[in-house]
Amino acid sequence: MSRVLRVAAAQLGPIARAEPRAQVVDRLLVLLRDAAAAGAHLVVYPELALTSFFPRWYMDDTAELDWFYETEMPGPETKRLFDEARQLGVGLHLGYAELTPDGHRYNTSILVERDGSVVATYRKVHLPGHEEYEPWRPFQHLERRYFEPGDRFATHRAFGGVVGLATCNDRRWPETYRVLGMQGAEVVLIGYNTPIHYPPDPSHDSLVGFHSHLVMQAGAYQNGMFVVGVAHGGNEEGVVSLADSCIIAPSGRVIALTAHTDDEIAVADLNLDLCANYKETLFDFERYRRPDAYGAITDRKGAIPPP
Amino acid sequence: MSRVLRVAAAQLGPIARAEPRAQVVDRLLVLLRDAAAAGAHLVVYPELALTSFFPRWYMDDTAELDWFYETEMPGPETKRLFDEARQLGVGLHLGYAELTPDGHRYNTSILVERDGSVVATYRKVHLPGHEEYEPWRPFQHLERRYFEPGDRFATHRAFGGVVGLATCNDRRWPETYRVLGMQGAEVVLIGYNTPIHYPPDPSHDSLVGFHSHLVMQAGAYQNGMFVVGVAHGGNEEGVVSLADSCIIAPSGRVIALTAHTDDEIAVADLNLDLCANYKETLFDFERYRRPDAYGAITDRKGAIPPP
């Protein structure tokens, strides 16, 4: 059985606040067909891929907020995307805002196999930003108001390998990759929305692309796995977000990269057997890890400096 | 009180197998004086800085092996280095092979304050390589034969900040930086000996410099701290090792880098207040970490893939 997985990172450019779902799904379908034409087995869409990145706006009208959420997946607007992917034999990863029947809200992604079966859903663990309206900001980042956190990272047998899911800010935390690596991940799929401007400390702004690649490259290398990072970027409603979608090998090298800041696919063949070049040598966890020395990672939340 | 620490990364070129300690200490003194002349508060020498990197040779003669170890620190040959550092008011970090009175062997480093007081010693936690002679290798890497592992990472108040120690292969493991970060580290000092050729998988060879910087840059950024990485490199007894000693800011950027593969210092001013740009914003651990989701990091040694 082939262990080469052809993946298309399906980057999205800006989505206007008023852009209807049907129009966004049309854009996703164009990318899906591009991916299928390129022979991809899996198309990876970014985080919150069906609407504008709404956490930038403070909303206290629940009906206004609810418009951005999906109550079923696939739902009325997304069903044709799932149907066409199945017909084309292309798996898909899609990020969306989830509103459950009992009123819980999550920043969720779904992974679907080439035959249309649902592999897993994942709810974002590391929610960035803030809970309350902060008038000093040029734009808000209210993920901690609009979503509850997910509770775990998991891996899944799919696409001939072991696949893990993470979302946006999760990628900055080395624990994300390691918890997935400890569950055998060979490929981690990560969608993101990352504004270039970081209001709490603008010294980050000129480094945002560097940081995004740095953390994904290190996570890939240190766990001997592929990482697929997919942006919803460009200038959206006046806020510019990072593009730079990429596919990273277990060597830590970027092997595919988008060239624009709009809708575009970047494709690479992921030879999953390359993971062993790291997992079975330098990073043979069973032989070389020292969990007895790692207690401070799980025994506390914040740092405890020496007295 | 100033929070700017001027550090000299004191890279060493090759040390011949027969090179006497006195001659090596002479070389360390040259670097110390260079560092003092540059106004450095701290000079950082690499791992196993007093001898050739002897784990590349298989030795079953204990007397032959013992020659490479220190039974006291400072000892007869190193006392003049410690004395001159104190007189110059320069702190020092020095890696060496430690043989304890009761016969235990460690890959150790010592950190000494500007007044000559010992801050701490550290025994390498992540020992790479192998235990037995492996004839297929062009050179051995017998750290797991010649050293016992250390048991913990710790941080220390010194040089006006919070300092942590790690050694060589420790730098490839994200847990190293995180365990030190969870103890408030603002600067981590890391000496290394890194052969360019990795016999178990030569596909790593062309990436060794990239990997070395990648892991230290990610560790610095993800924990909002400075990392000082110092090589014992060059062509030593026919084995070429990485130089590329560097000082990395909490932004993840390399702010100083050696230019050669021989004895050389690279100097930078470490403004420890820059750590807050990361520790108090994006990486506010107390606010944003999710240790409840990190159990797999400490509850197992090797990976457990899904069924």
Side-chain angles (χ1 to χ4, degrees):
Chain A
M1 177 178 162
S2 167
R3 289 264 291 165
V4 176
L5 174 64
R6 183 168 295 177
V7 173
Q11 174 177 287
L12 284 173
I15 301 174
R17 181 164 181 170
E19 191 165 331
R21 286 289 193 294
Q23 188 173 315
V24 177
V25 171
D26 286 344
R27 290 168 59 183
L28 300 179
L29 280 165
V30 170
L31 293 168
L32 171 65
R33 290 167 196 144
D34 286 350
H41 308 125
L42 170 62
V43 60
V44 182
Y45 299 110
E47 177 194 35
L48 301 175
L50 295 170
T51 67
S52 201
F53 186 70
F54 64 91
R56 78 168 65 90
W57 295 297
Y58 178 79
M59 290 174 267
D60 54 7
D61 176 336
T62 301
E64 182 186 13
L65 182 65
D66 283 355
W67 184 83
F68 292 95
Y69 289 76
E70 313 300 313
T71 53
E72 47 184 332
M73 185 55 63
E77 292 101 344
T78 44
K79 187 170 183 304
R80 60 196 171 103
L81 175 68
F82 283 60
D83 287 347
E84 184 155 340
R86 188 186 65 247
Q87 284 156 20
L88 292 168
V90 177
L92 69 86
H93 167 280
L94 178 70
Y96 59 97
E98 176 190 8
L99 175 57
T100 69
D102 53 346
H104 295 283
R105 298 169 191 272
Y106 301 100
N107 186 337
T108 299
S109 55
I110 188 169
L111 179 65
V112 179
E113 257 287 7
R114 300 175 70 182
D115 65 1
S117 59
V118 174
V119 175
T121 58
Y122 164 72
R123 292 165 171 170
K124 186 172 181 178
V125 166
H126 294 96
L127 293 176
H130 49 109
E131 292 82 0
E132 302 299 332
Y133 180 67
E134 296 186 357
W136 61 271
R137 292 175 182 258
F139 53 89
Q140 304 292 300
H141 198 118
L142 287 161
E143 287 195 57
R144 294 170 77 85
R145 182 177 190 85
Y146 296 150
F147 300 116
E148 294 173 57
D151 62 355
R152 70 197 165 83
F153 294 105
T155 60
H156 315 280
R157 292 208 177 269
F159 300 97
V162 179
V163 183
L165 305 180
T167 302
C168 193
N169 178 54
D170 286 329
R171 77 192 189 284
R172 302 188 191 275
W173 300 84
E175 291 92 345
T176 297
Y177 307 94
R178 190 58 109 212
V179 169
L180 292 168
M182 296 316 300
Q183 298 175 79
E186 297 176 311
V187 188
V188 173
L189 310 178
I190 305 175
Y192 59 85
N193 286 265
T194 301
I196 301 293
H197 178 49
Y198 182 62
D201 182 357
S203 78
H204 300 215
D205 295 7
S206 67
L207 301 171
V208 64
F210 164 67
H211 286 156
S212 181
H213 279 177
L214 176 64
V215 292
M216 292 192 284
Q217 292 181 277
Y221 168 64
Q222 291 173 319
N223 294 280
M225 61 197 192
F226 289 88
V227 172
V228 181
V230 188
H232 168 190
N235 186 337
E236 183 176 278
E237 302 288 3
V239 177
V240 180
S241 289
L242 183 69
D244 280 10
S245 303
C246 57
I247 299 174
I248 298 166
S251 66
R253 290 293 221 182
V254 174
I255 60 172
L257 181 66
T258 51
H260 308 87
T261 59
D262 214 322
D263 296 9
E264 177 186 352
I265 62 167
V267 178
D269 281 338
L270 282 51
N271 178 355
L272 301 183
D273 289 333
L274 288 177
C275 298
N277 290 9
Y278 294 86
K279 288 184 189 291
E280 295 179 4
T281 63
L282 197 59
F283 297 134
D284 178 339
F285 289 170
E286 184 63 39
R287 183 169 187 186
Y288 292 122
R289 288 183 82 244
R290 294 292 311 279
D292 55 302
Y294 303 157
I297 295 173
T298 48
D299 75 9
R300 67 197 68 178
K301 190 174 183 197
I304 304 176
Chain B
M1 177 178 162
S2 168
R3 290 264 292 166
V4 176
L5 174 65
R6 184 169 293 178
V7 173
Q11 175 176 287
L12 283 173
I15 302 174
R17 179 164 182 168
E19 190 165 331
R21 286 289 193 294
Q23 188 173 316
V24 177
V25 172
D26 286 344
R27 290 168 58 183
L28 299 179
L29 281 165
V30 169
L31 292 167
L32 170 65
R33 291 168 196 141
D34 286 350
H41 308 125
L42 170 63
V43 60
V44 182
Y45 300 111
E47 177 193 36
L48 301 174
L50 294 169
T51 67
S52 201
F53 186 70
F54 63 92
R56 77 168 66 90
W57 294 297
Y58 178 79
M59 292 174 266
D60 54 8
D61 176 336
T62 302
E64 183 187 13
L65 182 65
D66 283 355
W67 184 84
F68 292 95
Y69 290 76
E70 313 301 312
T71 54
E72 46 184 334
M73 185 55 62
E77 293 101 343
T78 43
K79 187 170 184 305
R80 59 196 171 102
L81 175 67
F82 282 62
D83 287 347
E84 184 154 340
R86 189 186 63 247
Q87 284 155 20
L88 292 169
V90 178
L92 68 85
H93 167 280
L94 178 71
Y96 59 98
E98 175 190 9
L99 176 56
T100 69
D102 53 347
H104 294 283
R105 299 170 190 272
Y106 300 99
N107 187 337
T108 299
S109 55
I110 188 168
L111 180 64
V112 180
E113 257 288 7
R114 301 175 68 181
D115 65 1
S117 59
V118 174
V119 176
T121 59
Y122 164 72
R123 292 164 171 171
K124 186 173 181 176
V125 166
H126 293 96
L127 293 176
H130 48 107
E131 292 83 1
E132 303 299 333
Y133 180 67
E134 296 186 358
W136 61 271
R137 290 175 183 259
F139 53 89
Q140 304 293 299
H141 198 119
L142 287 160
E143 286 194 59
R144 293 171 77 86
R145 183 178 191 85
Y146 296 150
F147 301 114
E148 295 174 55
D151 62 356
R152 69 195 166 84
F153 294 105
T155 60
H156 315 278
R157 292 208 177 268
F159 300 96
V162 180
V163 183
L165 305 180
T167 302
C168 193
N169 179 55
D170 287 328
R171 77 192 188 285
R172 301 188 192 276
W173 300 83
E175 292 92 344
T176 297
Y177 307 94
R178 190 57 109 211
V179 170
L180 291 169
M182 295 317 300
Q183 297 173 79
E186 296 176 310
V187 189
V188 173
L189 310 177
I190 306 175
Y192 59 84
N193 286 264
T194 301
I196 301 292
H197 178 50
Y198 182 63
D201 182 357
S203 78
H204 300 215
D205 296 6
S206 66
L207 301 171
V208 64
F210 163 67
H211 286 156
S212 181
H213 279 177
L214 176 64
V215 292
M216 292 192 284
Q217 292 181 276
Y221 168 63
Q222 292 173 318
N223 294 280
M225 60 197 191
F226 289 88
V227 172
V228 181
V230 188
H232 168 189
N235 186 337
E236 184 176 276
E237 302 288 3
V239 177
V240 180
S241 289
L242 182 69
D244 280 9
S245 303
C246 57
I247 299 174
I248 298 165
S251 65
R253 291 293 221 183
V254 174
I255 60 171
L257 181 66
T258 52
H260 308 87
T261 59
D262 214 322
D263 296 8
E264 177 186 352
I265 61 166
V267 179
D269 282 336
L270 281 52
N271 178 356
L272 302 183
D273 290 332
L274 288 177
C275 299
N277 290 8
Y278 295 87
K279 287 184 190 291
E280 297 179 4
T281 63
L282 198 59
F283 297 135
D284 178 339
F285 290 170
E286 184 64 39
R287 183 168 187 187
Y288 292 122
R289 288 183 81 246
R290 294 292 312 278
D292 55 301
Y294 302 158
I297 295 174
T298 48
D299 74 10
R300 65 197 68 177
K301 190 175 182 197
I304 304 176

